[in-house]
Amino acid sequence: MSDLTFLMLLFLGLTLGVVLSIYHVMRQKRRRSVLLLIGTLLVVSGYVLVIGNLAFGYGWGALWWAVLGLAMNVFGLIVHLFVIIYHLLLKKRRVRS
């Protein structure tokens, strides 16, 4: 796999994660969870760090910021998924009782 293909797949995956997390936050009608907002903030800020450093950064310093941005993005997506799963389980529990 060439470097350009890898970068395009990384860009596509990160963009899809950002779009889905923002869509989920905007879709909620009731009170938004603080953890969900923190997860979305981590996803968006990690996305900005990764894409900004891939576009404008150079050298080992930029690599550090890109890795930090990718870690923030992944952690934000994990928090986001846990909050979604928790709300689904809570809704299922309410329906049963």
Side-chain angles (χ1 to χ4, degrees):
M1 182 172 7
S2 70
D3 292 339
L4 184 60
T5 306
F6 176 72
L7 287 176
M8 291 303 292
L9 286 175
L10 179 69
F11 178 71
L12 181 66
L14 292 177
T15 305
L16 186 64
V18 167
V19 168
L20 287 177
S21 64
I22 290 175
Y23 171 74
H24 188 264
V25 167
M26 298 298 275
R27 193 182 66 162
Q28 283 189 341
K29 294 179 182 133
R30 56 187 159 88
R31 184 173 166 258
R32 291 181 178 94
S33 170
V34 173
L35 281 176
L36 192 64
L37 293 176
I38 289 173
T40 303
L41 181 69
L42 282 172
V43 168
V44 171
S45 59
Y47 177 78
V48 169
L49 275 174
V50 169
I51 299 303
N53 281 303
L54 289 177
F56 302 116
Y58 57 93
W60 291 107
L63 180 65
W64 164 249
W65 286 106
V67 168
L68 179 68
L70 189 61
M72 286 173 60
N73 197 307
V74 169
F75 184 69
L77 285 175
I78 289 171
V79 168
H80 202 81
L81 286 175
F82 278 134
V83 170
I84 290 171
I85 290 170
Y86 172 74
H87 283 295
L88 287 175
L89 290 174
L90 195 64
K91 182 194 256 185
K92 191 176 185 180
R93 190 175 188 189
R94 285 185 194 152
V95 170
R96 246 193 269 166
S97 60

